[in-house]
Amino acid sequence: MASGSRNPIILNPLAKEPWRFLSSADDRARAFHQSMPGYSLTPLVSMPQIAAEVGVGAVHVKYEGDRMGLPSFKILGASWATFCAVASYLKLPLNSSLTVNNLRDVLTGWASSHSQKPTLVAATDGNHGRAVAYMGRILGLPVKVFVPGGLDNDAVQAIVNEGAAVARVRGSYDLTVNLAFNVAKNMLGGILVQDTSFPGYTDVPEWVVEGYDTMLSEIDEQLENQSQPADLIIVPVGVGSLAQAVVTHYRSLGVGTKVLTVEPDTAACLYTNLRGDVAGQKPVPLETTGPTIMAGLDCGTVSLCAWNLLNAAVDACLSVSDHEAHSACGILKTHGVAAGPCGAASLAALLRLGDKEKKDLGLGNTSVVVLLCTEGERQYSVPAAGLATY
Ligand SMILES: Cc1ncc(COP(=O)(O)O)c(C=O)c1O
């Protein structure tokens, strides 16, 4: 795409059908999170000035910059998925009597009769790997994290500080996931805790998605006293597992909340597949053209399970430039919310909506919009002003 033109919003014609998702999800993940050290509800911050500027009734920002002491929502998925994957490796039933503490005790006993403990393996653009490393520390398990070569040193150091061994891979995020999968498969006791699904690997990423639901149930409770559910929720997308959780949640409730996704211009894999730019069996992997300051969203392949749901259920998608994400960080900051670029991408998407797009999404002056601000403030190189060329 040439500089000066923008990816227009895509409305998904399939999403118009008012079907309801019959979710088999229960509250186990939420109960598990509530038993984790440092768990508390993250804030839902109202932004009346932004709502007035955009012409809607309310804008609320779900702020995930401090989730159990970590700077993003990713620990919700990584913790529950690690817990389930390790329990399943040890053939322990996932009932309410199994807690993080007694899983750690079982692992300690298990290690005395086995030559080595299982190893958690993950690939990451930063936040997921850090969260898996955190879980490894809590459970007393070794962790090996693979990162794409271009990941910044601060993100790598944050994973190392959790006690994990980190290996840089010469290549993209997709390649890194592939390598982590093969390493875990060939390692004695290797457990891959990945937040994306692909053929032959779906159980763990489905647990990740279940874990993300905690954030969405919290929002329901936080909005309850406003007696109006969200009309629109805006979700940043990397591989789409978070969006899968969002769509699953709202389609199960049947409240008619619309879902708009946002990706970096340079890694718009859901957008490209939904727009139908690519032929073949979907989701077709995309060559990302980054780097982008939205590091957690720098992914070229939509998670298989996510795609199977999103392609018929996401209402609209959009992509934004680094510059837009950066200026959205600045706006949020002036309203007291210290967001990183992935988190601010939701606001960048909202600010891109013109009158027609708002009408198409059913937004009016009493509508309630929720922005998922998925990460807290972090260092990045400030992009040059203007539109991205890619
Ligand atoms: C901060 C942040 N926001 C959003 C996402 C997107 O989540 P998903 O990859 O499930 O689409 C990620 C993914 O790593 C992330 O780190």
Side-chain angles (χ1 to χ4, degrees), residues 72-74 127-128 195 212 236-243 296-297 299 342-343 374-375:
S72 90
F73 77 104
K74 297 297 284 193
N127 291 315
H128 173 71
D195 53 355
Y212 294 159
V237 163
V239 296
S241 292
L242 174 59
L297 313 183
C299 310
C342 298
T374 51
E375 69 176 354

Side-chain angles (χ1 to χ4, degrees), residues 125-214:
D125 268 335
N127 291 315
H128 173 71
R130 180 171 178 185
V132 173
Y134 172 93
M135 282 309 289
R137 187 162 56 72
I138 287 196
L139 291 172
L141 290 177
V143 182
K144 186 138 189 80
V145 177
F146 292 89
V147 302
L151 191 68
D152 69 73
N153 289 336
D154 287 351
V156 171
Q157 194 54 48
I159 303 169
V160 171
N161 291 348
E162 296 291 349
V166 178
R168 279 192 190 269
V169 176
R170 220 174 283 153
S172 65
Y173 172 78
D174 283 9
L175 244 156
T176 308
V177 171
N178 199 269
L179 184 79
F181 173 73
N182 285 316
V183 168
K185 195 170 72 179
N186 296 317
M187 177 192 277
L188 187 68
I191 302 177
L192 180 69
V193 184
Q194 203 52 57
D195 53 355
T196 188
S197 59
F198 39 87
Y201 184 77
T202 53
D203 288 353
V204 175
E206 289 289 12
W207 287 320
V208 168
V209 170
E210 278 178 22
Y212 294 159
D213 190 69
T214 291

Side-chain angles (χ1 to χ4, degrees), residues 42-60:
T42 55
L44 187 71
V45 186
S46 290
M47 302 264 160
Q49 200 182 324
I50 294 179
E53 277 161 25
V54 172
V56 293
V59 171
H60 304 290

Side-chain angles (χ1 to χ4, degrees), residues 67-82:
R67 177 60 89 171
M68 298 185 214
L70 292 180
S72 90
F73 77 104
K74 297 297 284 193
I75 185 63
L76 292 174
S79 58
W80 177 237
T82 302

